[in-house]
Amino acid sequence: KAGVTQTPRYLIKTRGQQVTLSCSPISGHRSVSWYQQTPGQGLQFLFEYFSETQRNKGNFPGRFSGRQFSNSRSEMNVSTLELGDSALYLCASSLVAGSDTQYFGPGTRLTVL
Amino acid sequence: QQQVKQSPQSLIVQKGGISIINCAYENTAFDYFPWYQQFPGKGPALLIAIRPDVSEKKEGRFTISFNKSAKQFSLHIMDSQPGDSATYFCAALHSGTYKYIFGTGTRLKVLA
């Protein structure tokens, strides 16, 4: 079974631009969560989707948004990029969520210049 | 209340030694405590997990010890190997929220 895939793997943007990251969960998994990973802060929860509905979100500004499609694939969007948005963005999928095992993708490394 | 505090930030252990990483939490609603292992360039991978009704769980060389009254849990890696060199994250989940809270990570280096 294929793992969680994230595209693109690397991205360089400039301040003020917007970016869209994509995540394809493991086949059959319906829950997708997004995290921001930075050296100082560790993994910070962004949001979680299940059956196209956002069930929870973390403490990030409204510039960070996401969605999930009927095939469980998910995208996250960051508008008006700031230097501090440079990070590794990780997507994780699980069957339903809660305490189901989360399987992480390799992440998208975003650099904002 | 939503924080999970992890220590130490980094750890160096000799091959064959025991690696111990500690985490503490405040929110008593957390009901699932996983540990993740992350190698450079890879996403975190679940290593072992425990629920608060159990005080210890062992899987191979990896053991979680859980102290509910102290609101602390720890990962013990027995007979540490150079291949265990990675970053380890503890996490906590309140199942009803679908929101994992992660510790800040421990970078483990096992010397050959």
Side-chain angles (χ1 to χ4, degrees):
Chain A
K1 196 181 257 191
V4 178
T5 58
Q6 292 188 245
T7 56
R9 290 293 311 279
Y10 303 92
L11 208 48
I12 298 175
K13 292 285 188 179
T14 56
R15 279 181 300 172
Q17 288 187 308
Q18 78 164 23
V19 66
T20 299
L21 312 181
S22 180
C23 171
S24 292
I26 292 172
S27 177
H29 285 195
R30 297 168 64 190
S31 168
V32 173
S33 297
W34 288 89
Y35 296 86
Q36 181 193 65
Q37 183 175 19
T38 56
Q41 299 292 318
L43 281 83
Q44 302 282 309
F45 174 82
L46 281 155
F47 22 68
E48 188 267 350
Y49 288 90
F50 177 80
S51 292
E52 302 178 68
T53 299
Q54 185 184 90
R55 297 196 292 190
N56 206 338
K57 62 179 294 187
N59 298 323
F60 280 82
R63 301 185 295 106
F64 291 81
S65 63
R67 59 178 176 168
Q68 186 181 35
F69 302 95
S70 58
N71 62 357
S72 295
R73 190 178 70 85
S74 177
E75 290 181 346
M76 68 162 281
N77 185 77
V78 188
S79 62
T80 319
L81 284 165
E82 300 178 359
L83 296 178
D85 297 332
S86 294
L88 180 67
Y89 290 88
L90 291 160
C91 163
S93 78
S94 59
L95 274 171
V96 175
S99 58
D100 290 336
T101 299
Q102 281 195 323
Y103 295 88
F104 282 84
T108 294
R109 172 73 62 185
L110 171 65
T111 301
V112 182
L113 302 176
Chain B
Q1 259 224 330
Q2 286 295 313
Q3 279 189 322
V4 176
K5 295 181 180 178
Q6 183 172 346
S7 63
Q9 193 172 10
S10 62
L11 183 60
I12 299 175
V13 173
Q14 293 287 337
K15 179 182 175 181
I18 302 174
S19 304
I20 302 174
I21 305 170
N22 301 298
C23 284
Y25 64 97
E26 289 294 324
N27 188 348
T28 55
F30 289 143
D31 55 7
Y32 180 68
F33 301 88
W35 284 90
Y36 288 84
Q37 179 188 56
Q38 185 177 28
F39 293 104
K42 304 282 188 182
L46 179 68
L47 198 58
I48 187 172
I50 198 168
R51 295 189 181 279
D53 54 346
V54 175
S55 61
E56 185 174 281
K57 183 173 181 181
K58 184 175 181 179
E59 288 184 4
R61 297 185 294 110
F62 301 92
T63 300
I64 299 180
S65 296
F66 188 85
N67 186 329
K68 190 174 181 177
S69 61
K71 291 184 281 187
Q72 295 175 347
F73 58 110
S74 60
L75 175 70
H76 296 234
I77 305 174
M78 313 300 284
D79 187 26
S80 298
Q81 299 296 312
D84 297 330
S85 297
T87 301
Y88 293 81
F89 293 94
C90 63
L93 172 72
H94 175 202
S95 298
T97 67
Y98 316 107
K99 178 180 176 180
Y100 282 84
I101 305 297
F102 280 79
T104 50
T106 295
R107 185 173 291 183
L108 170 66
K109 181 164 184 160
V110 181
L111 302 176

